[in-house]
Amino acid sequence: MQASSGMLTKFESKSSRAKGIAFHPKRPWILVALHSSTIQLWDYRMGTLIDRFEEHDGPVRGVDFHKTQPLFVSGGDDYKIKVWSYQTRRCLFTLNGHLDYIRTVFFHHELPWIVSASDDQTIRIWNWQNRSLLCTMTGHNHYAMCAQFHPKEDLVVSASLDQSVRVWDISGLRKKHSAPTSMTFEDQVARTNANQTDMFGNTDAVVKFVLEGHDRGVNWVAFHPTMPLIVSAGDDRLVKLWRMSDTKAWEVDTCRGHFMNANGCLFHPHQDLILSAGEDKTIRVWDLNKRTAVNSFKRENDRFWVIAAHPEINLFAAGHDNGVMVFKLERERPASTVYQNQLFYITKEKHVRSYDFQKNAESPTLLSLKKLGSPWTPPRTLSYNPAERSVLVTTPADGGSYELINLPRDGSGAIEPTESKRGQGNSAVFVARNRFAVLNTATQTIDIKDLTNNTTRSFKPPLGTSDIYFGSTGSLLIITPTAVHLYDIQQKKSTAELTVNGVKYVVWSNDGLYAALLSKHNVTIVTKTLEQVSTLHETIRIKSATWDDAGVLLYSTLNHIKYTLLNGDNGIVRTLDQTVYLVRVKGRNVYCLDRSAKPKVLHIDPTEYRFKLALVKRNYEEMLNIIQTSSLVGQSIISYLQKKGYPEIALQFVQDPTTRFELAIECGNLEVAVEMAKQLDRPKLWSRLSTEALAHGNHSVVEMAYQKLKHFDKLSFLYLTTGDNAKLARMAKIAEHRGDFTSRFQNALYLGDVEDRIQMFKEIDLYPMAYLTAKTHGLEEECQSILEATGLTEEQLNLPQLGEPLTPPKPVVPTFQANWPTKATSQSIFEKALLGQVEGLSLEDEPSTTTNGFGLDEAGEDDGAKRTGALADADDDEDAAGWDLGDDIIPEVEEGFVNVESVDASGGGISEADLWARNSPLAVDHVAGGSFETAMQLLNRQVGAVNFTPLKPRFLEVYQASKTYLAASVGLPPLVNYVRRTVEESDLRKVLPIIPRDLEYLAANDLQRGYDSMKTNKLEEGLKIFKDILHSVLVNAVGSESEAAEAKKLITSASEYSVAMAIELGRRQLGKQEDINKNPQLLKRSLELSGYFTIPKIEVPHRQLALHSAMTLAHRTKNYNSALGFANRILANGGASKILENARKIKAQCERNPHDAVEIEFDQFAEFEICAASHTPIYSGAAFEECAFDGSKYQPKFKGSICAVCEVCEVGKHGSGLKLFA
Amino acid sequence: MDPYSAEGELINIHNFFHQGQFQEVIDFDTSTLSAENALPARVLQLRARLALGQADDVLADVQGETEPELEAVGALAEHALGNTDAAVKTVEKLAQESPDNAAVQTLGGTVLQAAGKSEEALALLSQHTGNLEAIALIVQIHLQQNRTDLAVKEVTAARRWAQDSLLVNLAESWVGLRLGGDKYQQAFYVFEELAQAPATSSVRTLVSQAVAELHLGRTEEAQAALEQAIKKEPGFSEAIANLLVLNVITGKDTAELTSSLETVDPQHPLLADLAEKSALFDKSANRYKLKLGA
């Protein structure tokens, strides 16, 4: 037996003795039944107690989760079985019936049944849906300690202190309770009363086997999930394995090892292992096939009482004296290594395989490592040496060992390793092309070995070294529990040291400049000289990491893939359903290995971290690109940008006006701020805006803000400082109208308008002031009139010393005409580009929007400003009527803006139909849009179409199909809407109209009708149909190149049929057969035409018809040679037997006399085609003209005429070719 | 309280009207209504009768009435009878006198727009204060002018204060049918909800549903809905027109439907448009003929 190595404990809880455990089948939950009467619900992944259920009186021994429902069941020493809902967190009901302690309870896997085992020596089956007792199984004559359903069959197995294990057949019970026949109430009563046997002597549950072999009481028993095996554990300290067949059951073997009572046992759900737990404080693992001990784990003080397995995942739980522990038997991390585009990894079968990232292909098994280490211990690490194509594998088995093996060139050869070198060691990594390092933790030495496994040098690493990793060439990263050392192998000394606790893995970036040190809850990024770059903490366990090519670290936790940039910014990339080990990131693909060591590709959206990375690196092009191609919005990115000091970039993503305003102020983008302030129109914002604008020297914005705020004084002062005397004058008038004398005085003062000041003083009866003012300015006349008005004389006045008259400075520069030139504020290159870009984008989204783009808005604003200016000018003339009341200013301004908008509105937009013609180079889309003129031009250019009259029905059809009529408001004509063939599309630059009778429809309907008319000899009709097909294809659109090719085929086919039918119709028009027979000229022509009818490339069955008709005619007119030729062709074609038979007959007849009575121009051995207009042969090599659309051939003399087939195009005119696909 | 709000007295009759259930509007019991709502209710009933083609009766009914509401109804009736000039004159007068009157706005707006005076109609309608009918009309006018952007703006604004109103839903769906993409499906849901509930179903909504389906490319469902509509009301021109379009799309013969549309509504835009395009075709085609001849 192997020494007990450290257990892979995932979770431990402290509590009183745990007697019952159950795993939730899906969630990371475990139920623990405690001796203290509590049932705990733990999340073992997070290590948190989710809930406690305390209704049992006394110890609880049995618990079980329902497989699908949010239910669990428990049984305890209060003789009660309780069924609980963990959603509503309460006990739903109690099943009473047992007369003593209940030991175990289990749900049935599909039926609504519970099986319970009790010290009352019975095993009972309950229905938890109707809450009834179905069956009581008696037979044990001591406590029944455990009873479980078989996972598939109708069996129950039970263990008892009577030293026996019993297998019960419950198929009778199932039959009885799933019988669909309705029973009368009496029947039901009779059934339930006759608990054991019914009238046929069947019983609900009968003992099938009694397994005897334990010398003491049996504590636990379990079925194997798939094989007919049973395992039991007893007080005789033995674990016994039993096998059963349909008829009997027998003991297979015994596993000896526990030296105290064995309390629990189970089969490993996936592997051939048995696990058992006992009061000797050990958990033991046994090989199912050899019944030998594989492993054992000992606890110091706690006796084990129960053990349980997770049904899916490689997890087990054991309950002991002081709680529960959840553990794994083996590490699930598959050993793997990445070299360039290849991943090498070791599967669960211990096969080395590779995976190609570029081809996304798994290789066959390259190597089998079956013989390495113990069969139950998977290899721990894999290191690859590309130069030698060899791998270095370590395994913890046998106290740690390594093996150096060469990989075969390909997977086709033998997979057993041919030659391997091995040795003792806990870690082994390649450090150079021909050197590897081996760490032995027990002796604390590191050996550097060459490829022949000879030690070349050896040294003592820092104390407590637990692991080694590749450092960079010639150096190692040495991991101790508290630090990482960069160790130079040549100098044999540590060149750098970094204190990091508990590092478990090291992941180097692709360029080798950075490494990520992973510990259980931390990621530390270091440079190659071991300087710490950043570190982050995760509450959930970190499993693996890998570097993006751009230097972003992606790491996986138990349930997420996350990223971190070098600066420590991190976030979630996606969630995971199951734990995976990342090995590589490429674009949107994350490659990883799952727990069963299968390579998987996960798709991620790298936008967020790429954007952040671009931001950090100031890679504006990349950012632009991301903004353009991805939808990058959301609060997180905005607050991120704001936090990182990029308000101007954040601005581009914000919609909310308030936030936009704040951001705009923050980054000094006044235009946006103004726009938002207008939208929100709150005094507070205007005053903030005015302050900001003043700081910028942008006085026109300040002016607007003051106007909005009705800050008359400030306005006046602003006009004074900008030297805008005209507006100052108007302010004075406004003040006059408002009756605000202080303001009026102030304005007059600013303007140097003495008269007005005097006038004002007079108005408010301040004559002394008026007089003084006049006097100071030397206005003697005015002085006199004031004196007169007041009835005083100059002598009566006692004047103070007069000062100099005040003359306000005159404006030197008309500042008001333009804003002060300001340095472009915080606009970075990027921002400008972005502005342009964003504008472009928004225009793309709503091409007809007039107010969204910044540029446009600016224009609107200017307009508005001008307009207000204009309004103000007009006001002057009308005694400033508009400025009568200060309040009016605002409505005026607003109206200005409103006007701007309604001017826009009056224009009327472009209808979608007009857009179609713009969006598409196809004639059909122009037709649908009603632009017949351009459609005709297109067709003329493409195929030389000149005679459009035959196309009229098709034009109108296409035009009509694309418009629907929606009755909207009552009393108004319906709204016309435009039907699109691009239903999903809403970008107006890409929408295209629906096309009636598209290619598919034509092929499925019209073409078939054409064939039918050929078959049924309705040629006039057929000709019409095929011409219509030609016209319909001419004005049509297809979705792909291949469909365009299909269309070409359809055109050719329709054209050939048209020619063929026209020839035959021409023949029929020659006259009645009798008349023709009399006229040798006509007869010759008739025979020729019947021959030509067989030339066009129509479908074989149809050609047979043509040939048959030609053959019959020729035969009848004694043109045996021609008839023979037709007959031979018919026979060569094969097909319908009736025609073949006729041909055979005629052939036989004609062969006797192969001569033609009438000489005709039809050489059956020459290659020729038929002129579609004159129906005469055009021999190969002869000159000809053709129709650019349908490809029908013509004698050269027909050049310039209208094609007889399509009746649209000009013969011999070469166009650019019909375009059906853009 | 707003009589059209969810608790208002007029909500039902108002909704009946806009769902196209005109007979229900006429049959609506108005005797229990409070005094101030009697007139709006009467206007709605008159409009319903107009919609059912009883223009003469309606005109006689409002003859000599002086309330601007009823005068506006009169104008609408005049228009329906073809006396567009008189109708426009009346509306212009009313617009001068009582531009704040909601009925004057909506009915006047309808008359002006129908007479091709979109600018005047918009000017009148834009004076509304929370009149949803006016908003719906504005939206329709914008759409007719192919100013989808403005229509979107109007609807979004209305959405803010009249969340669940029928008219806003309808107007949004109208806009949706122009925008396309996902909006088709949303519009379809609105129409379908109205058309499929027996309490709100009408030929108008049924046809609207069919139109949405048509845009979504579901021709079979559209056909079923249209045939159902025609069965309900054989003379509903929009149903015929759209069925005609549908048949063109699915490649069926349309001669019969064209002739029945010609009898039902010879002025239908589809026919007018087709005639115009037919002439355009001949004109354009002739140019090539001339070239060919030369």
Side-chain angles (χ1 to χ4, degrees), chain A residues 822-893:
Chain A
T822 45
K823 192 172 150 252
T825 48
S826 62
Q827 286 208 339
S828 56
I829 310 159
F830 165 70
E831 195 195 352
K832 273 185 200 154
L834 194 61
L835 273 172
Q837 213 54 50
V838 167
E839 188 183 325
L841 284 176
S842 75
L843 282 177
E844 269 168 36
D845 290 340
E846 303 162 78
S848 47
T849 304
T850 50
T851 48
N852 257 10
F854 292 102
L856 288 172
D857 240 10
E858 240 175 308
E861 195 183 302
D862 283 351
D863 253 0
K866 268 183 220 144
R867 219 166 282 269
T868 35
L871 282 170
D873 286 346
D875 287 342
D876 259 357
D877 302 336
E878 320 166 359
D879 197 21
W883 297 75
D884 249 359
L885 298 162
D887 287 357
D888 266 7
I889 293 180
I890 289 92
E892 289 287 1
V893 172

Side-chain angles (χ1 to χ4, degrees), chain A residues 848 904 909 911 930 933 946 948-949 952 957 959-960 963-965 968-969 973-974 976-978 980 996 1001, chain B residues 140 145-147 149 178-180 204 214-215 238 242 244-245 248 251 273 277-278 281-282 284 287-289:
Chain A
S848 47
D904 284 347
S911 99
E933 185 88 358
V946 284
F948 287 98
T949 319
K952 186 168 176 183
E957 177 185 22
Y959 178 72
Q960 246 182 322
K963 281 157 212 71
T964 60
Y965 298 88
S969 297
V976 177
N977 287 311
Y978 303 95
R980 301 167 183 169
Y1001 181 92
Chain B
Q140 176 162 10
Q145 291 180 323
N146 294 312
R147 290 305 303 263
D149 52 330
R178 273 294 167 85
L179 292 174
R204 280 174 87 85
L214 202 59
H215 282 272
E238 255 62 77
N242 284 311
L244 200 157
V245 171
V248 173
D273 197 23
K277 287 295 170 188
S278 173
F281 182 93
D282 293 342
S284 307
R287 276 186 216 166
Y288 289 91
K289 251 187 208 147

Side-chain angles (χ1 to χ4, degrees), chain A residues 531-549:
Chain A
E531 286 156 20
Q532 179 171 326
V533 178
S534 68
T535 183
L536 64 90
H537 179 82
E538 280 288 338
T539 46
I540 302 201
R541 218 167 294 178
I542 295 159
K543 302 307 283 187
S544 66
T546 183
W547 291 84
D548 179 54
D549 286 329

Side-chain angles (χ1 to χ4, degrees), chain A residues 353-372:
Chain A
R353 292 193 178 191
S354 71
Y355 179 85
D356 192 307
F357 294 126
Q358 275 172 336
K359 296 181 194 145
N360 284 343
E362 230 175 304
S363 77
T365 300
L366 300 171
L367 197 64
S368 169
L369 298 173
K370 268 277 181 302
K371 290 180 183 140
L372 177 74

Side-chain angles (χ1 to χ4, degrees), chain A residues 484-487 494-498 529-530:
Chain A
V484 176
H485 300 263
L486 184 63
Y487 196 92
S494 170
T495 53
E497 182 185 341
L498 183 70
T529 52
L530 212 56

Side-chain angles (χ1 to χ4, degrees), chain A residues 846 848-851 901-912 914 927 929-938 940 945-953 955-980 982-988 991 994-998 1001 1005-1006 1200-1202 1210, chain B residues 17-18 20 22 47 51 76 79 109-111 113-114 119 122 133 136-137 139-150 152-153 173-174 177-182 184 191 204 207-209 211 214-217 219 236 238 241-242 244-245 248-252 254 258 268-271 273-274 277-285 287-289 291-292:
Chain A
E846 303 162 78
S848 47
T849 304
T850 50
T851 48
E901 231 174 73
S902 57
V903 166
D904 284 347
S906 67
I910 304 153
S911 99
E912 187 174 327
D914 293 340
V927 173
S931 178
F932 292 173
E933 185 88 358
T934 53
M936 288 177 186
Q937 274 168 18
L938 280 172
N940 182 263
V946 284
N947 180 31
F948 287 98
T949 319
L951 288 180
K952 186 168 176 183
F955 266 55
L956 293 181
E957 177 185 22
V958 170
Y959 178 72
Q960 246 182 322
S962 54
K963 281 157 212 71
T964 60
Y965 298 88
L966 177 72
S969 297
V970 179
L972 284 184
L975 269 176
V976 177
N977 287 311
Y978 303 95
V979 193
R980 301 167 183 169
T982 47
V983 174
E984 310 282 325
E985 190 60 67
S986 57
D987 181 349
L988 277 177
V991 297
I994 194 165
I995 305 301
R997 293 204 290 150
D998 56 8
Y1001 181 92
N1005 294 290
D1006 295 60
S1201 68
I1202 288 175
E1210 188 180 331
Chain B
F17 183 78
H18 290 287
F22 301 122
R47 288 172 67 189
L76 194 61
H79 170 72
T110 310
V111 170
Q113 169 65 13
E119 287 319 308
L122 281 177
E133 280 198 70
L137 275 171
V139 169
Q140 176 162 10
I141 293 171
H142 282 323
L143 287 178
Q144 243 151 14
Q145 291 180 323
N146 294 312
R147 290 305 303 263
T148 315
D149 52 330
L150 298 179
V152 169
K153 226 186 261 172
S173 307
W174 302 338
L177 282 184
R178 273 294 167 85
L179 292 174
D182 301 341
Y184 282 151
F191 293 136
R204 280 174 87 85
V207 171
S208 304
Q209 180 199 333
V211 168
L214 202 59
H215 282 272
L216 282 163
T219 46
F236 190 54
E238 255 62 77
N242 284 311
L244 200 157
V245 171
V248 173
I249 290 175
T250 53
K252 289 185 198 135
T254 54
T258 315
H268 194 277
L270 187 148
L271 297 174
D273 197 23
L274 206 59
K277 287 295 170 188
S278 173
L280 172 69
F281 182 93
D282 293 342
K283 206 175 95 194
S284 307
R287 276 186 216 166
Y288 289 91
K289 251 187 208 147
K291 265 186 226 162
L292 196 66

